[in-house]
Amino acid sequence: MHEANEESANRESWSHRVNLAAIATFAIATLAFLLSYSKLSDLADRAGYSGPMSMIYPVIIDGLAVVATYGVLKLQDTRYAWWMLGSATTVSVTAAVASSVLAPGPLPGAAAALVSVVGLNP
């Protein structure tokens, strides 16, 4: 009987840790999205997208990372999901850096063209 109680306590403790980890992961992901949103929407605006399109751009890039993360967690063969997660992260970080490094105002032609590769065509 003692073993059953101990096993139940271990399961509850493990479940509590998993729930806490899930909440912390969600909170960090949400904060990261909020931080990157302004940089990515600014970059899209500078590339010639206006209004709703510049607001959608960060959702496309960071949304891909969210979907890829879900794939890493749920798929049996995660190679493609890891590749997509790495690609989305690279695009997000590169775009955020470009938004800060490039001179204010409209983007140079090549940089604006790279923004279009994501799938938004001005």
Side-chain angles (χ1 to χ4, degrees), residues 6-25:
E6 186 176 318
E7 183 178 323
S8 176
N10 285 341
R11 262 186 286 159
E12 287 176 21
S13 175
W14 181 83
S15 177
H16 178 71
R17 286 190 304 256
V18 168
N19 288 337
L20 186 58
I23 290 168
T25 300

PDB file of all heavy atoms in Angstrom, residues 6-25:
ATOM      1  N   GLU A   6       3.233   6.203  -2.632  1.00  0.00           N
ATOM      2  CA  GLU A   6       4.454   6.853  -3.088  1.00  0.00           C
ATOM      3  C   GLU A   6       4.407   7.073  -4.598  1.00  0.00           C
ATOM      4  O   GLU A   6       4.784   8.130  -5.096  1.00  0.00           O
ATOM      5  CB  GLU A   6       5.674   6.000  -2.708  1.00  0.00           C
ATOM      6  CG  GLU A   6       6.980   6.675  -3.022  1.00  0.00           C
ATOM      7  CD  GLU A   6       8.160   5.854  -2.537  1.00  0.00           C
ATOM      8  OE1 GLU A   6       8.087   5.316  -1.415  1.00  0.00           O
ATOM      9  OE2 GLU A   6       9.132   5.755  -3.307  1.00  0.00           O
ATOM     10  N   GLU A   7       3.923   6.080  -5.340  1.00  0.00           N
ATOM     11  CA  GLU A   7       3.811   6.201  -6.795  1.00  0.00           C
ATOM     12  C   GLU A   7       2.827   7.310  -7.172  1.00  0.00           C
ATOM     13  O   GLU A   7       3.076   8.103  -8.071  1.00  0.00           O
ATOM     14  CB  GLU A   7       3.354   4.874  -7.406  1.00  0.00           C
ATOM     15  CG  GLU A   7       3.294   4.903  -8.920  1.00  0.00           C
ATOM     16  CD  GLU A   7       2.883   3.563  -9.489  1.00  0.00           C
ATOM     17  OE1 GLU A   7       3.297   2.518  -8.927  1.00  0.00           O
ATOM     18  OE2 GLU A   7       2.154   3.573 -10.489  1.00  0.00           O
ATOM     19  N   SER A   8       1.726   7.394  -6.466  1.00  0.00           N
ATOM     20  CA  SER A   8       0.731   8.442  -6.714  1.00  0.00           C
ATOM     21  C   SER A   8       1.326   9.826  -6.423  1.00  0.00           C
ATOM     22  O   SER A   8       1.115  10.764  -7.182  1.00  0.00           O
ATOM     23  CB  SER A   8      -0.502   8.205  -5.847  1.00  0.00           C
ATOM     24  OG  SER A   8      -1.421   9.247  -6.012  1.00  0.00           O
ATOM     25  N   ALA A   9       2.072   9.942  -5.345  1.00  0.00           N
ATOM     26  CA  ALA A   9       2.709  11.211  -4.991  1.00  0.00           C
ATOM     27  C   ALA A   9       3.743  11.602  -6.046  1.00  0.00           C
ATOM     28  O   ALA A   9       3.855  12.780  -6.414  1.00  0.00           O
ATOM     29  CB  ALA A   9       3.351  11.117  -3.616  1.00  0.00           C
ATOM     30  N   ASN A  10       4.503  10.623  -6.544  1.00  0.00           N
ATOM     31  CA  ASN A  10       5.491  10.894  -7.578  1.00  0.00           C
ATOM     32  C   ASN A  10       4.819  11.385  -8.860  1.00  0.00           C
ATOM     33  O   ASN A  10       5.308  12.297  -9.513  1.00  0.00           O
ATOM     34  CB  ASN A  10       6.335   9.658  -7.870  1.00  0.00           C
ATOM     35  CG  ASN A  10       7.349   9.389  -6.787  1.00  0.00           C
ATOM     36  OD1 ASN A  10       7.691  10.276  -6.001  1.00  0.00           O
ATOM     37  ND2 ASN A  10       7.825   8.159  -6.710  1.00  0.00           N
ATOM     38  N   ARG A  11       3.696  10.742  -9.228  1.00  0.00           N
ATOM     39  CA  ARG A  11       2.956  11.165 -10.416  1.00  0.00           C
ATOM     40  C   ARG A  11       2.426  12.582 -10.253  1.00  0.00           C
ATOM     41  O   ARG A  11       2.499  13.380 -11.182  1.00  0.00           O
ATOM     42  CB  ARG A  11       1.798  10.209 -10.695  1.00  0.00           C
ATOM     43  CG  ARG A  11       2.150   9.185 -11.750  1.00  0.00           C
ATOM     44  CD  ARG A  11       0.962   8.366 -12.089  1.00  0.00           C
ATOM     45  NE  ARG A  11       0.790   7.475 -10.933  1.00  0.00           N
ATOM     46  CZ  ARG A  11      -0.303   6.855 -10.597  1.00  0.00           C
ATOM     47  NH1 ARG A  11      -1.376   6.996 -11.311  1.00  0.00           N
ATOM     48  NH2 ARG A  11      -0.371   6.089  -9.550  1.00  0.00           N
ATOM     49  N   GLU A  12       1.888  12.910  -9.115  1.00  0.00           N
ATOM     50  CA  GLU A  12       1.365  14.252  -8.869  1.00  0.00           C
ATOM     51  C   GLU A  12       2.492  15.285  -8.907  1.00  0.00           C
ATOM     52  O   GLU A  12       2.331  16.365  -9.463  1.00  0.00           O
ATOM     53  CB  GLU A  12       0.637  14.303  -7.534  1.00  0.00           C
ATOM     54  CG  GLU A  12      -0.702  13.593  -7.542  1.00  0.00           C
ATOM     55  CD  GLU A  12      -1.371  13.577  -6.177  1.00  0.00           C
ATOM     56  OE1 GLU A  12      -1.015  14.426  -5.330  1.00  0.00           O
ATOM     57  OE2 GLU A  12      -2.241  12.724  -5.971  1.00  0.00           O
ATOM     58  N   SER A  13       3.629  14.950  -8.316  1.00  0.00           N
ATOM     59  CA  SER A  13       4.771  15.850  -8.322  1.00  0.00           C
ATOM     60  C   SER A  13       5.261  16.075  -9.753  1.00  0.00           C
ATOM     61  O   SER A  13       5.529  17.204 -10.153  1.00  0.00           O
ATOM     62  CB  SER A  13       5.892  15.288  -7.456  1.00  0.00           C
ATOM     63  OG  SER A  13       7.037  16.097  -7.549  1.00  0.00           O
ATOM     64  N   TRP A  14       5.351  15.005 -10.520  1.00  0.00           N
ATOM     65  CA  TRP A  14       5.784  15.094 -11.914  1.00  0.00           C
ATOM     66  C   TRP A  14       4.786  15.926 -12.716  1.00  0.00           C
ATOM     67  O   TRP A  14       5.158  16.793 -13.492  1.00  0.00           O
ATOM     68  CB  TRP A  14       5.916  13.695 -12.517  1.00  0.00           C
ATOM     69  CG  TRP A  14       6.388  13.726 -13.938  1.00  0.00           C
ATOM     70  CD1 TRP A  14       7.661  13.821 -14.378  1.00  0.00           C
ATOM     71  CD2 TRP A  14       5.564  13.648 -15.107  1.00  0.00           C
ATOM     72  NE1 TRP A  14       7.700  13.826 -15.743  1.00  0.00           N
ATOM     73  CE2 TRP A  14       6.412  13.712 -16.215  1.00  0.00           C
ATOM     74  CE3 TRP A  14       4.195  13.533 -15.312  1.00  0.00           C
ATOM     75  CZ2 TRP A  14       5.943  13.678 -17.522  1.00  0.00           C
ATOM     76  CZ3 TRP A  14       3.731  13.494 -16.611  1.00  0.00           C
ATOM     77  CH2 TRP A  14       4.594  13.559 -17.699  1.00  0.00           C
ATOM     78  N   SER A  15       3.505  15.682 -12.513  1.00  0.00           N
ATOM     79  CA  SER A  15       2.461  16.427 -13.214  1.00  0.00           C
ATOM     80  C   SER A  15       2.536  17.911 -12.876  1.00  0.00           C
ATOM     81  O   SER A  15       2.385  18.764 -13.749  1.00  0.00           O
ATOM     82  CB  SER A  15       1.092  15.868 -12.847  1.00  0.00           C
ATOM     83  OG  SER A  15       0.076  16.609 -13.444  1.00  0.00           O
ATOM     84  N   HIS A  16       2.780  18.228 -11.631  1.00  0.00           N
ATOM     85  CA  HIS A  16       2.904  19.625 -11.214  1.00  0.00           C
ATOM     86  C   HIS A  16       4.100  20.291 -11.893  1.00  0.00           C
ATOM     87  O   HIS A  16       3.992  21.416 -12.379  1.00  0.00           O
ATOM     88  CB  HIS A  16       3.036  19.708  -9.691  1.00  0.00           C
ATOM     89  CG  HIS A  16       3.218  21.096  -9.187  1.00  0.00           C
ATOM     90  ND1 HIS A  16       2.204  22.030  -9.195  1.00  0.00           N
ATOM     91  CD2 HIS A  16       4.307  21.720  -8.685  1.00  0.00           C
ATOM     92  CE1 HIS A  16       2.672  23.171  -8.714  1.00  0.00           C
ATOM     93  NE2 HIS A  16       3.934  23.009  -8.391  1.00  0.00           N
ATOM     94  N   ARG A  17       5.229  19.588 -11.965  1.00  0.00           N
ATOM     95  CA  ARG A  17       6.419  20.137 -12.620  1.00  0.00           C
ATOM     96  C   ARG A  17       6.173  20.336 -14.107  1.00  0.00           C
ATOM     97  O   ARG A  17       6.596  21.340 -14.679  1.00  0.00           O
ATOM     98  CB  ARG A  17       7.625  19.235 -12.382  1.00  0.00           C
ATOM     99  CG  ARG A  17       8.182  19.309 -10.980  1.00  0.00           C
ATOM    100  CD  ARG A  17       9.511  18.591 -10.878  1.00  0.00           C
ATOM    101  NE  ARG A  17       9.420  17.213 -11.306  1.00  0.00           N
ATOM    102  CZ  ARG A  17       9.396  16.157 -10.505  1.00  0.00           C
ATOM    103  NH1 ARG A  17       9.483  16.342  -9.203  1.00  0.00           N
ATOM    104  NH2 ARG A  17       9.316  14.943 -10.973  1.00  0.00           N
ATOM    105  N   VAL A  18       5.495  19.386 -14.744  1.00  0.00           N
ATOM    106  CA  VAL A  18       5.202  19.508 -16.172  1.00  0.00           C
ATOM    107  C   VAL A  18       4.279  20.699 -16.415  1.00  0.00           C
ATOM    108  O   VAL A  18       4.495  21.489 -17.339  1.00  0.00           O
ATOM    109  CB  VAL A  18       4.582  18.203 -16.727  1.00  0.00           C
ATOM    110  CG1 VAL A  18       4.010  18.409 -18.111  1.00  0.00           C
ATOM    111  CG2 VAL A  18       5.629  17.094 -16.737  1.00  0.00           C
ATOM    112  N   ASN A  19       3.255  20.855 -15.597  1.00  0.00           N
ATOM    113  CA  ASN A  19       2.341  21.990 -15.746  1.00  0.00           C
ATOM    114  C   ASN A  19       3.075  23.311 -15.544  1.00  0.00           C
ATOM    115  O   ASN A  19       2.844  24.265 -16.275  1.00  0.00           O
ATOM    116  CB  ASN A  19       1.167  21.877 -14.780  1.00  0.00           C
ATOM    117  CG  ASN A  19       0.198  20.791 -15.177  1.00  0.00           C
ATOM    118  OD1 ASN A  19       0.134  20.400 -16.337  1.00  0.00           O
ATOM    119  ND2 ASN A  19      -0.551  20.295 -14.211  1.00  0.00           N
ATOM    120  N   LEU A  20       3.923  23.383 -14.550  1.00  0.00           N
ATOM    121  CA  LEU A  20       4.693  24.594 -14.296  1.00  0.00           C
ATOM    122  C   LEU A  20       5.618  24.899 -15.477  1.00  0.00           C
ATOM    123  O   LEU A  20       5.727  26.049 -15.904  1.00  0.00           O
ATOM    124  CB  LEU A  20       5.498  24.454 -12.997  1.00  0.00           C
ATOM    125  CG  LEU A  20       6.245  25.687 -12.524  1.00  0.00           C
ATOM    126  CD1 LEU A  20       5.283  26.853 -12.308  1.00  0.00           C
ATOM    127  CD2 LEU A  20       6.983  25.380 -11.233  1.00  0.00           C
ATOM    128  N   ALA A  21       6.264  23.877 -16.009  1.00  0.00           N
ATOM    129  CA  ALA A  21       7.147  24.060 -17.167  1.00  0.00           C
ATOM    130  C   ALA A  21       6.351  24.532 -18.380  1.00  0.00           C
ATOM    131  O   ALA A  21       6.804  25.397 -19.134  1.00  0.00           O
ATOM    132  CB  ALA A  21       7.884  22.766 -17.480  1.00  0.00           C
ATOM    133  N   ALA A  22       5.167  23.972 -18.583  1.00  0.00           N
ATOM    134  CA  ALA A  22       4.329  24.381 -19.716  1.00  0.00           C
ATOM    135  C   ALA A  22       3.903  25.833 -19.576  1.00  0.00           C
ATOM    136  O   ALA A  22       3.925  26.597 -20.553  1.00  0.00           O
ATOM    137  CB  ALA A  22       3.113  23.472 -19.825  1.00  0.00           C
ATOM    138  N   ILE A  23       3.529  26.244 -18.385  1.00  0.00           N
ATOM    139  CA  ILE A  23       3.116  27.630 -18.149  1.00  0.00           C
ATOM    140  C   ILE A  23       4.296  28.577 -18.375  1.00  0.00           C
ATOM    141  O   ILE A  23       4.161  29.623 -19.021  1.00  0.00           O
ATOM    142  CB  ILE A  23       2.532  27.792 -16.735  1.00  0.00           C
ATOM    143  CG1 ILE A  23       1.183  27.068 -16.654  1.00  0.00           C
ATOM    144  CG2 ILE A  23       2.386  29.255 -16.352  1.00  0.00           C
ATOM    145  CD1 ILE A  23       0.655  26.904 -15.247  1.00  0.00           C
ATOM    146  N   ALA A  24       5.462  28.215 -17.860  1.00  0.00           N
ATOM    147  CA  ALA A  24       6.647  29.053 -18.036  1.00  0.00           C
ATOM    148  C   ALA A  24       7.027  29.155 -19.510  1.00  0.00           C
ATOM    149  O   ALA A  24       7.363  30.239 -20.003  1.00  0.00           O
ATOM    150  CB  ALA A  24       7.813  28.498 -17.219  1.00  0.00           C
ATOM    151  N   THR A  25       6.951  28.041 -20.231  1.00  0.00           N
ATOM    152  CA  THR A  25       7.275  28.039 -21.658  1.00  0.00           C
ATOM    153  C   THR A  25       6.313  28.938 -22.423  1.00  0.00           C
ATOM    154  O   THR A  25       6.722  29.732 -23.278  1.00  0.00           O
ATOM    155  CB  THR A  25       7.224  26.607 -22.214  1.00  0.00           C
ATOM    156  OG1 THR A  25       8.183  25.818 -21.510  1.00  0.00           O
ATOM    157  CG2 THR A  25       7.532  26.575 -23.694  1.00  0.00           C
TER     158      THR A  25
END
